[in-house]
């Protein structure tokens, strides 16, 4: 869940009133946000780097607000305020308009070289914008939030914003060999080739995370203006030439990416959020993007879509009885301008470009429920009549657990993931013989494989409990995983028990086995269709999981595989 | 009978007494063992003598005085007092402590034979004595310097055969001996504080604390005593002697002997209770015995797009071997693909290029909702549709950053209801019943976002201890984009909720670090000591952390 941090006083100023922390927390909760933390820059620095570094930092109160991952329109102060004001019916949702420029339209031409690396681009212009320091910071911060979330760390979409007055169109979005790209990037004083930059940024804590997106490609994406000035090398860095400042008046925005839909959403979000500060509020100047196939599109789309939902459907899905008019009012409060039409039961809902999360009627139903107030909904019990059944394997497990404890053994609960060493080397087995499934991306050795036997967990439990009085009698009934040629991998439910004492006590673990068989109603003796115990072929001195195996009684019917183990540690001198 | 055996017996008996009787522990166990033996086994038991004297006395008697009268060690009398006390109300004994001055061994020698300096003085003849000779006397060294400082003697260093010592005075008073004799005669109080302390510094006098008992008759006083029985034996029952025997009262303050037993793991005790709750509510258990799942069932089937952050290497364990799922229901897969990439079923879809390779990737399931998806898919294949209530509790895996409350694997509890016309109100109603069974009654619902439920709501409960609302679960109505491709009828809604098993267990058992609850590093004592799991019972205040 993304967290947006906003200055409290600025927020209250924009909301036109103040709240106590509790009141604001309550408002967030109602709206589906969470006031996660109340802090300040000073507090954050002091927590992370100590009081000394924090000295002199701002102690302006910050609200950190958790925003649902699909609400890109709430990722900045401007969006939060607009959403809350509309929710509290203090303002009407603004209508965003795309307008044609008085002069020539800005053009971005995509060349076909981009096809293999980052084929999509969209663009727009914010004309006559008026920044302040706070607005400018919010503008930069929103891009960062979008990069981290919907843009999937710039892999899907990367945003570049430029001072249009320093550039001259038309712009070209192309891809070139890294050695052929040379420009002065943001915050650097001289020009570098793309190759050099990639090296420099390897040690940049922020940018190093994005290098992998293009690093091994033969061509790197790059955007030029008509004079050959580099606007940006997406998704890594913008050029310094067109950098925006607090004083920038006209902004050219380009979004490049591998996901066209998301690029369009990202552009829509940026322009809808910040056109608020344009001379003509909430209007965005169009830009034309020409694709390699010659087709040309105008962006931003700023599409308003109409959806039709029946009022009784909303009532039925939520479990309320509201009039269509009331429902339309509720939806309008959620930034979805709605009106009752037709037979009086139909509600027409206008989905604004800011609400890309609304993709189905169920999303509209949810917003009606939120505006109604989840906690105002009458709770009722479904009349669904059903007879409960236990999963047979779990039922048997439950029964057996209690009787294992009744037999004096204590239940342990160990991890299903472990190291290769745990299930192979340490048990004197070769890893290839274990038929274990292997994890491709473990962060540590503890998570290399899924266990193929419960034994390592029990032995490690004993090792961690050497101070406990002897004997230790432990058991676990749980699943192990074995590679399977049919389905790929399969769980097997195992029972494993260990007896740990100064003397081996084979008869004790043997007795437990006999007791388990008795509980399972399997008689001893092969001739009676019962169980037999045979020495297995494993080296007897090793704690081989197959040392003593039990068969008989048709217990495969229960998908039970019993492996009872005995191993005298002391002999091994451990 | 071997004496050793007898010793053994009385020692064992004594130990039992110690364990089960309350008495004040003024004496060390070793000493008590001794006195007990003396009291019980001397020819005329001291205890008997004590009782006889006590009968004759008016009021009571002092243990030290009695010892002096009987001419025996005080400890023997104390032992008798103790053993009589153990019999109940025969006597009453009040512990008294008195301070007394006593001579040390050296002090007694001086009281008898005079101080070292006096002895030196006396040993010098009128014609004097060679200093070297004097030093060889037992009291020589100490006595010489004291006699010198008392100016009783002098040394002539000019004598022909080495230094010679002569008397200076004709006679002297041996004050030290006189004072010590006073103390010996019980008249220490006649000495001044300064004199006593000087003698104490010379280690001739010591102040000792004497613990004595003032013994008086008890409510059940009798001179004929019999030992109280600690256990009822078959012999006593058959002979009827139990009627006349006194029995030792039980000591309920001591700990009993815990039975030898096996124990169930606390987390799994809680799991049993959750299973029980679901069964009571008519929910059928879903099979969840597949830790390995395809991305398809874990994500795609749930309408979770392929670029979703949860599908990142950083959040999910993917498999190297077997890397890909072998079998997927291909016609269903096609419907899922279309819904993701183009929409349908009333949905806009996500409008991206859906890849089968991505769906085939095997992983360790990140939630049991994958098992719910499989169960719902199976349900959809059965015509006509029948309403169901499902639950599961099993392990899930996350490749996340680990901390005190997060492990790479944990248990997820999930409930699912599928029926015609289910509402958000139904979801809240069933959650209320479910949480009431957990003893949680104050609930609040917060709008939330889950990729596969819409509407979604987080469940909060008011935590009395923390004095704030804490999240206790997540819930929602499964999206039509998830249900309709499975083949479920359009008017069927599926409501679901989930929570972790570990969190309520940690709260229940007052455990702060998840590693103290799950895994091989847990302290088995915690498992041994964990109480029953009664989720609906009033929680007791969390125990203070104590070392095992």
């Amino acid at each position: 869940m993304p967290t947006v941090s906003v200055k409290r006083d600025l927020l209250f100023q924009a909301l036109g009133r103040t709240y106590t922390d509790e009141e604001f927390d309550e408002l967030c909760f109602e709206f589906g946000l969470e006031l996660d933390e109340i802090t300040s820059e000073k507090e954050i620095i002091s927590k992370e780097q100590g009081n000394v570094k924090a000295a002199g930092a701002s102690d302006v109160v910050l609200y950190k607000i958790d925003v649902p991952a699909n609400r890109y329109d709430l990722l900045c102060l401007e969006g939060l305020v607009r959403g809350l004001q509309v929710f509290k019916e203090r303002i009407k949702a603004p209508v965003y308009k795309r307008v044609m420029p008085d002069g020539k339209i800005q053009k971005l031409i995509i060349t076909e070289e981009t096809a293999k690396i980052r084929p999509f681009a969209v663009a727009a212009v914010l004309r006559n914008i008026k920044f302040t320091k706070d607005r400018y910071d919010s503008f930069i911060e929103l891009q960062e939030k979008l990069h981290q979330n919907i843009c999937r760390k710039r892999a899907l979409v990367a945003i570049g914003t430029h001072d249009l007055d320093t550039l001259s169109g038309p712009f070209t979005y192309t891809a070139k060999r890294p050695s052929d790209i040379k420009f002065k990037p943001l915050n650097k004083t001289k020009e570098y080739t793309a190759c050099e930059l990639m090296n420099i940024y390897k040690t940049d804590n922020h940018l190093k995370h994005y290098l992998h997106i293009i690093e091994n490609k033969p061509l790197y994406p790059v955007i030029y203006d008509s004079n050959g000035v580099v606007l940006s090398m997406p998704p890594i860095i913008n050029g310094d030439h067109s950098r925006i400042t607090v004083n920038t008046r006209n902004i050219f925005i380009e979004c490049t990416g591998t996901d066209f839909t998301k690029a369009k959403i990202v552009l829509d979000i940026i322009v809808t959020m910040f056109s608020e500060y344009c001379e003509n509020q909430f209007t965005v100047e169009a830009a034309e993007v020409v694709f390699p196939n010659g087709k040309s599109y105008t962006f931003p789309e700023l599409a308003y879509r109409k959806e039709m939902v029946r009022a009784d459907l909303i009532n039925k899905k939520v479990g309320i009885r509201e009039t269509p008019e009331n429902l339309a009012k509720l939806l309008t409060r959620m930034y979805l301008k709605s009106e009752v039409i037709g037979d009086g039961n139909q509600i027409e809902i206008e989905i604004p470009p800011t609400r890309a999360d609304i993709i189905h009627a169920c999303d509209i139903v949810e917003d009606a429920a939120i505006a109604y107030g989840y906690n105002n909904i009458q709770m009722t019990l479904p009349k669904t009549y059903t007879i409960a059944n236990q999963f047979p394997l779990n039922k048997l497990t439950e029964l057996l657990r209690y009787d294992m404890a009744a037999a004096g053994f204590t239940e342990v609960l160990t991890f299903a993931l472990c190291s290769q060493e745990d299930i192979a080397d340490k048990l004197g087995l070769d890893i290839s013989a274990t038929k274990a499934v292997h994890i491709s991306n473990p962060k540590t050795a503890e998570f290399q494989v899924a266990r193929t036997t419960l034994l390592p967990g029990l032995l490690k439990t004993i090792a961690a409990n050497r101070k406990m009085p002897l004997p230790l009698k432990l058991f676990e009934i749980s699943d192990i995983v074995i590679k399977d040629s049919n389905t790929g991998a399969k769980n097997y439910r195992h029972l494993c028990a260990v007896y740990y004492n100064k003397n081996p006590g084979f008869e004790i673990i043997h007795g437990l086995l006999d007791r388990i068989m008795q509980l399972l109603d399997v008689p001893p003796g092969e001739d009676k269709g019962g169980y037999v115990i045979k020495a297995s072929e494993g080296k007897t001195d090793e704690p081989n999981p197959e040392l003593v195996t039990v068969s008989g009684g048709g217990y495969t019917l229960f998908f039970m595989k019993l492996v009872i183990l005995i191993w005298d540690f002391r002999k091994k001198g451990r | 009978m071997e004496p050793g055996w007898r010793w053994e017996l009385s020692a064992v008996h004594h130990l039992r007494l110690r364990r089960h009787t309350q008495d004040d522990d003024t004496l060390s166990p070793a000493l008590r063992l001794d006195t007990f033996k003396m009291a019980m086994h001397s020819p005329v038991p001291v205890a008997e003598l004590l009782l006889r004297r006590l009968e004759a006395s008016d009021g009571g008697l002092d243990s030290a005085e009695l010892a002096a009268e009987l001419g025996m060690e005080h400890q023997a009398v104390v032992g008798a007092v103790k053993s009589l006390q153990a019999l109940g109300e025969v006597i009453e004994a009040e512990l008294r402590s008195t301070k007394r001055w006593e001579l040390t061994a050296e002090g007694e020698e001086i009281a008898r034979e005079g101080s070292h300096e006096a002895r030196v003085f006396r040993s010098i003849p009128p014609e004097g004595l060679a200093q070297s000779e004097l030093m060889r006397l037992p009291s020589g060294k100490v006595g010489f310097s004291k006699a010198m400082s008392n100016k009783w003697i002098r040394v002539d260093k000019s004598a022909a055969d080495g230094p010679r010592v002569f008397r200076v005075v004709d006679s002297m008073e041996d004050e030290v001996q006189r004072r010590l004799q006073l103390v010996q005669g019980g008249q220490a109080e006649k000495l001044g504080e300064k004199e006593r302390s000087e003698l104490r510094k010379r280690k001739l006098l010591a102040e000792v604390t004497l613990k004595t008992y003032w013994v008086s008759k008890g409510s059940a006083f009798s001179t004929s005593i019999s030992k109280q029985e600690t256990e009822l034996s078959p012999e006593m029952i058959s002979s009827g002697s139990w009627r006349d025997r006194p029995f030792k009262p039980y000591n309920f303050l001591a700990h009993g002997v815990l039975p030898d037993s096996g124990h169930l793991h606390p987390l799994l005790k809680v799991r049993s209770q959750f299973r029980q709750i679901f069964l009571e509510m008519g929910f059928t258990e879903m099979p969840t015995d597949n830790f390995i799942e395809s991305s398809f069932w874990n994500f795609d089937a749930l309408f979770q797009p392929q670029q979703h952050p949860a599908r990142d290497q950083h959040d999910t364990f993917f498999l190297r071997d077997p890397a890909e799922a072998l079998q997927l229901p291909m016609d269903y897969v096609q419907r899922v693909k279309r819904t993701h990439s183009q929409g349908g079923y009333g949905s806009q879809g996500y409008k991206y290029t859906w890849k089968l390779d991505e769906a085939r990737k095997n992983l360790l399931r990140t939630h049991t909702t994958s098992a719910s998806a499989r169960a719902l898919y199976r349900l959809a294949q059965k015509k006509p549709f029948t309403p169901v209530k499902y639950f599961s509790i099993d392990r899930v895996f996350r490749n996340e950053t680990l901390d005190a409350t997060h492990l790479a694997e944990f248990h997820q509890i999930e409930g699912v209801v599928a029926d015609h016309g289910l509402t958000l109100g139904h979801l809240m109603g069933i959650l209320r019943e479910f949480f009431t069974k957990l003893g949680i009654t104050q609930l609040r619902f917060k709008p939330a976002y889950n990729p596969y439920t819409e509407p979604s709501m987080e469940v909060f409960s008011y935590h009395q201890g923390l004095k704030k609302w804490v999240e206790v679960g997540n819930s929602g109505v499964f999206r039509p984009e998830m249900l309709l491709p499975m083949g479920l009828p359009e008017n069927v809604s599926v409501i679901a909720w989930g929570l972790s098993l570990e969190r309520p267990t940690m709260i229940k058992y007052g455990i702060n670090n998840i590693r103290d609850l799950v895994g091989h590093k847990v302290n088995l004592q915690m498992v041994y000591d964990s109480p029953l799991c009664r989720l609906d019972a009033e929680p007791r205040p969390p125990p203070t952390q104590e070392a095992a």
Side-chain angles (χ1 to χ4, degrees):
Chain A
M1 208 186 273
T3 304
V4 179
S5 135
V6 295
K7 290 182 182 167
R8 182 192 62 187
D9 295 347
L10 217 55
L11 177 72
F12 288 172
Q13 193 193 329
L15 288 172
R17 61 159 287 188
T18 57
Y19 292 84
T20 64
D21 293 340
E22 291 73 27
E23 283 168 348
F24 191 73
D25 182 45
E26 192 62 36
L27 174 63
C28 284
F29 193 98
E30 239 186 292
F31 193 55
L33 305 170
E34 209 170 321
L35 180 55
D36 186 50
E37 204 187 342
I38 301 163
T39 180
S40 72
E41 216 166 279
K42 195 171 191 168
E43 212 180 308
I44 296 169
I45 298 173
S46 136
K47 224 185 263 174
E48 287 170 359
Q49 304 168 37
N51 286 328
V52 182
K53 288 252 168 112
S58 154
D59 46 13
V60 169
V61 179
L62 294 179
Y63 275 178
K64 289 193 151 189
I65 301 168
D66 277 351
V67 174
N70 62 341
R71 290 298 298 271
Y72 316 120
D73 59 319
L74 303 177
L75 288 176
C76 59
L77 175 90
E78 289 73 15
L80 275 171
V81 168
R82 234 173 280 163
L84 288 170
Q85 292 293 71
V86 173
F87 182 60
K88 297 310 269 182
E89 296 176 287
R90 293 199 198 103
I91 61 167
K92 281 199 168 146
V95 178
Y96 307 104
K97 263 193 258 156
R98 182 175 76 189
V99 295
M100 284 300 157
D102 298 335
K104 247 171 67 183
I105 189 165
Q106 295 297 338
K107 229 184 225 189
L108 175 64
I109 299 149
I110 307 179
T111 71
E112 60 192 5
E113 288 86 358
T114 60
K116 284 213 170 109
I117 168 151
R118 210 169 173 84
F120 303 108
V122 294
V125 174
L126 286 175
R127 191 63 76 177
N128 292 323
I129 196 162
K130 211 172 199 170
F131 274 144
T132 61
K133 178 73 173 60
D134 284 321
R135 292 171 181 183
Y136 174 83
D137 289 347
S138 176
F139 186 66
I140 301 295
E141 190 58 28
L142 172 66
Q143 292 175 53
E144 180 56 20
K145 290 277 178 252
L146 291 168
H147 275 152
Q148 292 310 313
N149 294 285
I150 180 173
C151 302
R152 296 302 316 284
K153 300 191 173 117
R154 303 192 188 177
L156 301 184
V157 184
I159 309 156
T161 53
H162 311 276
D163 187 339
L164 183 57
D165 299 333
T166 66
L167 299 166
S168 71
F171 306 100
T172 310
Y173 173 40
T174 183
K176 283 192 164 182
R177 283 213 303 272
S179 53
D180 295 345
I181 302 171
K182 193 168 185 192
F183 66 105
K184 187 165 97 179
L186 265 185
N187 306 322
K188 294 276 183 218
T189 48
K190 57 173 235 183
E191 292 195 345
Y192 296 92
T193 66
C195 304
E196 289 169 335
L197 283 177
M198 294 299 269
N199 262 324
I200 291 169
Y201 293 145
K202 277 201 172 80
T203 55
D204 185 304
N205 277 337
H206 179 56
L207 295 177
K208 67 179 177 191
H209 304 292
Y210 310 119
L211 303 182
H212 72 97
I213 302 171
I214 57 168
E215 205 167 22
N216 297 316
K217 306 278 162 111
L219 304 179
Y220 286 4
V222 61
I223 303 177
Y224 292 100
D225 81 348
S226 62
N227 297 325
V229 172
V230 171
L231 276 73
S232 65
M233 184 175 81
I236 311 296
I237 190 86
N238 288 349
D240 196 59
H241 179 89
S242 58
R243 71 178 306 158
I244 62 163
T245 67
V246 178
N247 301 319
T248 300
R249 293 303 309 273
N250 299 300
I251 300 176
F252 180 70
I253 303 164
E254 38 87 6
C255 300
T256 59
T258 54
D259 186 317
F260 195 30
T261 313
K262 289 206 161 63
K264 289 188 283 188
I265 295 172
V266 168
L267 184 66
D268 279 354
I269 294 291
I270 294 177
V271 298
T272 51
M273 292 302 118
F274 283 88
S275 56
E276 181 176 348
Y277 303 131
C278 288
E279 204 168 80
N280 291 320
Q281 260 197 330
F282 306 117
T283 62
V284 185
E285 184 179 307
E288 187 185 334
V289 178
V290 185
F291 278 70
N293 61 8
K295 279 194 183 159
S296 108
Y297 299 85
T298 311
F299 296 108
E301 283 193 340
L302 293 183
Y304 281 81
R305 186 175 93 237
K306 295 262 163 90
E307 292 276 354
M308 220 72 94
V309 178
R310 291 186 67 81
D312 55 1
L313 178 97
I314 296 174
N315 278 328
K316 251 168 51 188
K317 292 284 179 192
V318 181
I320 52 177
R321 286 153 181 257
E322 286 295 294
T323 62
E325 287 74 20
N326 271 347
L327 290 174
K329 229 163 139 187
L330 291 174
L331 287 169
T332 304
R333 282 178 53 203
M334 298 305 288
Y335 220 108
L336 301 171
K337 208 175 111 202
S338 304
E339 54 183 340
V340 183
I341 56 154
D343 61 357
N345 198 6
Q346 288 282 8
I347 302 175
E348 188 186 71
I349 301 121
E350 188 182 68
I351 319 291
T354 46
R355 294 298 307 272
D357 58 299
I358 306 281
I359 57 174
H360 192 279
C362 68
D363 298 306
I364 295 166
V365 170
E366 180 183 72
D367 274 18
I370 292 172
Y372 183 82
Y374 277 4
N375 295 293
N376 299 327
I377 298 170
Q378 180 75 40
M379 299 188 207
T380 46
L381 266 185
K383 296 197 167 53
T384 313
Y385 183 83
T386 52
I387 303 289
N389 288 307
Q390 301 184 51
F391 183 51
L393 179 63
N394 290 357
K395 184 176 181 179
L396 177 63
T397 302
E398 284 290 280
L399 290 170
L400 214 43
R401 283 175 64 229
Y402 283 91
D403 266 303
M404 289 294 289
F409 279 70
T410 291
E411 185 173 40
V412 298
L413 175 64
T414 66
F415 298 125
L417 304 184
C418 58
S419 67
Q420 287 192 22
E421 204 186 10
D422 282 343
I423 55 165
D425 312 48
K426 283 184 183 170
L427 298 183
L429 295 173
D430 191 81
I431 187 70
S432 61
T434 60
K435 291 197 214 158
V437 301
H438 292 260
I439 293 165
S440 65
N441 57 335
K443 280 178 187 154
T444 68
E446 288 169 90
F447 312 119
Q448 287 173 328
V449 291
R451 64 183 171 197
T452 53
T453 156
L454 300 178
L455 185 61
L458 266 79
L459 295 182
K460 285 198 275 186
T461 305
I462 289 173
N465 279 279
R466 275 175 295 202
K467 64 178 189 302
M468 294 297 291
L470 297 180
L472 292 180
K473 301 194 230 175
L474 306 177
F475 81 97
E476 183 169 15
I477 307 180
S478 190
D479 284 359
I480 59 114
V481 184
I482 301 283
K483 229 169 86 177
D484 183 291
S485 55
N486 282 324
T487 56
K490 206 170 163 189
N491 280 27
Y492 291 90
R493 180 105 359 134
H494 273 202
L495 185 162
C496 185
V498 291
Y499 174 77
Y500 175 61
N501 204 354
K502 286 179 182 160
N503 336 318
F506 176 75
E507 67 282 1
I508 289 168
I509 209 81
H510 186 185
L512 179 73
L513 172 69
D514 289 337
R515 173 65 184 146
I516 292 167
M517 285 300 152
Q518 203 174 47
L519 290 167
L520 295 173
D521 203 15
V522 183
E526 206 161 9
D527 48 334
K528 295 172 208 151
Y531 68 97
V532 279
I533 303 174
K534 289 176 189 159
S536 84
E537 289 171 14
K539 284 173 275 175
T540 47
D541 216 29
E542 296 292 340
N544 186 329
E546 305 293 334
L547 184 62
V548 181
T549 57
V550 181
S551 59
Y555 259 83
T556 45
L557 280 178
F558 289 96
F559 309 101
M560 287 286 293
K561 185 177 173 191
L562 299 168
V563 181
I564 307 291
L565 291 136
I566 165 162
W567 183 40
D568 181 7
F569 279 71
R570 298 279 164 116
K571 262 196 216 157
K572 301 287 291 179
R574 286 191 197 180
Chain B
M1 206 177 275
E2 294 285 320
W5 189 83
R6 195 181 178 100
W7 169 255
E8 235 2 74
L9 184 73
S10 79
V12 167
H13 189 101
H14 181 79
L15 285 174
R16 190 182 299 164
L17 272 174
R18 249 181 70 64
R19 183 160 187 170
H20 286 282
T21 56
Q22 323 160 27
D23 42 28
D24 78 39
D25 267 308
T26 48
L27 300 169
S28 76
L31 195 56
R32 294 186 31 170
L33 204 64
D34 248 349
T35 56
F36 187 86
K37 191 177 138 231
M38 277 190 275
M40 298 310 285
H41 301 292
S42 48
V44 181
V46 184
E48 219 176 305
L49 288 171
L50 188 150
L51 290 173
R52 274 187 226 146
R53 294 277 180 135
L54 188 57
E55 190 181 28
S57 75
D58 45 298
L61 47 82
D62 180 80
S63 61
E65 281 168 22
L66 181 67
E69 282 173 37
L70 294 174
M72 55 172 61
E73 289 286 319
H74 181 232
Q75 285 303 347
V77 177
V78 170
V81 170
K82 286 271 175 186
S83 60
L84 288 170
Q85 268 183 314
L87 300 181
E89 305 296 315
V90 177
I91 59 161
E92 276 176 26
E94 184 196 335
L95 186 65
R96 292 175 172 184
S97 68
T98 49
K99 283 193 175 166
R100 217 176 64 180
W101 290 98
E102 261 184 11
L103 300 191
T104 63
E106 194 184 353
E108 277 182 14
E109 184 197 314
I110 287 171
R112 203 165 56 239
E113 292 173 19
S115 66
H116 298 295
E117 55 272 30
R119 274 184 264 170
V120 162
F121 180 80
R122 280 189 213 115
S123 61
I124 298 172
E127 64 274 18
L129 191 66
Q131 192 181 7
S132 55
E133 208 173 313
L134 186 138
M135 286 302 175
R136 278 198 292 276
L137 296 171
S139 302
K141 272 186 187 157
V142 187
F144 172 75
S145 58
K146 275 277 167 194
M148 282 293 287
S149 69
N150 286 352
K151 299 203 166 62
W152 290 351
I153 57 173
R154 68 178 171 87
V155 183
D156 181 0
K157 287 184 179 163
S158 59
D161 47 354
R164 211 168 168 80
V165 185
F166 293 92
R167 288 188 183 185
V168 176
V169 292
D170 296 331
S171 65
M172 49 82 209
E173 280 290 322
D174 191 352
E175 262 305 301
V176 173
Q177 183 183 34
R178 191 188 65 83
R179 287 172 188 164
L180 289 176
Q181 281 169 345
L182 273 177
V183 173
Q184 208 171 29
Q187 294 179 296
E189 69 278 4
K190 287 195 174 163
L191 295 182
E193 183 66 34
K194 202 177 153 197
E195 291 158 335
R196 279 199 300 251
S197 87
E198 190 193 312
L199 290 172
R200 199 182 62 209
K201 272 186 211 151
R202 286 184 70 176
K203 296 203 167 76
L204 305 177
L205 206 57
E207 189 173 35
V208 294
T209 306
L210 184 65
K211 286 188 172 176
T212 64
Y213 284 94
W214 179 255
V215 185
S216 55
K217 293 173 187 173
S219 59
F221 180 76
S222 152
T223 50
S224 66
I225 51 155
S226 58
K227 193 164 68 71
Q228 284 176 307
E229 299 294 342
T230 52
E231 271 158 37
L232 186 62
S233 69
E235 289 75 23
M236 290 178 202
I237 295 169
S238 61
S239 68
S241 70
W242 64 270
R243 289 173 208 278
D244 311 317
R245 305 290 297 169
F247 283 89
K248 201 170 151 48
Y250 287 109
N251 173 14
F252 300 110
L253 292 175
H255 285 293
V257 179
L258 284 175
D260 288 330
S261 54
H263 308 268
L264 295 173
H265 191 281
L267 187 82
L268 301 178
K269 287 201 244 194
V270 180
R271 183 182 71 178
S272 296
Q273 287 315 299
F274 273 102
R275 284 185 89 244
Q276 183 67 28
I277 287 168
F278 277 115
L279 293 170
E280 284 167 8
M281 291 174 73
F283 283 65
T284 285
E285 194 171 25
M286 290 182 273
T288 46
D289 55 337
N290 59 315
F291 294 163
I292 309 298
E293 188 57 276
S294 61
S295 292
F296 178 78
W297 286 108
N298 197 82
F299 294 123
D300 295 288
L302 301 173
F303 197 52
Q304 204 153 343
Q306 294 190 329
Q307 312 82 5
H308 193 275
R311 302 179 75 149
D312 228 61
Q313 296 276 326
H314 295 293
D315 292 289
T316 300
F317 287 115
F318 287 94
L319 289 199
R320 170 161 63 76
D321 180 25
E324 293 206 324
L326 302 170
Q327 296 161 329
L328 293 176
M330 286 318 288
D331 55 338
Y332 170 47
V333 168
Q334 284 310 315
R335 293 196 293 275
V336 168
K337 174 184 175 173
R338 204 168 48 239
T339 315
H340 278 244
S341 54
Q342 299 161 33
Y345 307 104
S347 176
Q348 301 282 315
Y350 292 122
K351 298 181 180 143
Y352 70 99
T353 315
W354 188 91
K355 296 192 180 102
L356 182 62
D357 289 349
E358 195 61 41
R360 277 198 193 278
K361 282 186 185 169
N362 271 334
L363 44 76
L364 279 154
R365 67 170 175 227
T366 63
H367 47 201
T368 48
T369 318
S370 58
S372 306
R374 282 177 179 272
L376 290 169
Y377 175 72
R378 278 193 302 273
L379 176 71
Q381 309 319 301
K382 280 189 268 177
K383 308 283 178 201
F385 169 83
T386 43
V388 295
K389 295 204 287 250
Y390 288 148
F391 82 95
S392 68
I393 309 170
D394 211 338
R395 290 183 203 242
V396 298
F397 305 85
R398 305 263 171 102
N399 195 10
E400 286 174 338
T401 314
L402 312 181
D403 61 29
T405 53
H406 292 86
L407 287 173
E409 51 188 280
F410 62 95
H411 289 72
Q412 191 185 331
I413 301 166
E414 187 153 315
V416 175
V417 185
D419 201 352
H420 297 283
L422 292 176
T423 69
L424 212 49
H426 285 135
L427 173 61
M428 291 161 67
I430 209 154
L431 283 168
R432 185 183 56 189
E433 297 305 316
F434 178 79
F435 281 100
T436 300
K437 279 182 173 284
L438 301 179
I440 295 171
T441 48
Q442 255 183 300
L443 285 190
R444 204 154 78 122
F445 301 91
K446 174 181 163 287
Y449 169 69
N450 297 316
Y452 42 89
T453 57
E454 189 83 13
S456 308
M457 41 172 64
E458 280 167 4
V459 190
F460 282 71
S461 111
Y462 192 75
H463 194 285
Q464 297 293 348
L466 299 172
K467 298 257 175 279
K468 65 173 190 181
W469 292 89
V470 293
E471 193 192 332
V472 291
N474 209 337
S475 69
V477 183
F478 282 136
R479 294 191 72 100
E481 293 101 321
M482 167 183 164
L483 302 177
L484 297 176
M486 288 176 173
L488 285 168
E490 202 163 338
N491 54 356
V492 167
S493 293
V494 182
I495 55 179
W497 73 97
L499 59 153
S500 91
L501 177 61
E502 278 78 358
R503 202 168 137 87
T505 307
M506 287 170 76
I507 293 169
K508 171 96 196 145
Y509 288 101
I511 294 169
N512 295 325
N513 189 329
I514 195 162
R515 283 166 187 77
D516 295 336
L517 175 68
V518 183
H520 57 265
K521 284 186 183 151
V522 302
N523 183 352
L524 283 173
Q525 194 66 47
M526 181 277 294
V527 179
Y528 293 171
D529 295 346
S530 75
L532 290 178
C533 171
R534 293 160 69 225
L535 292 170
D536 52 348
E538 276 294 305
R540 70 194 168 101
T544 47
Q545 294 278 328
E546 51 184 55

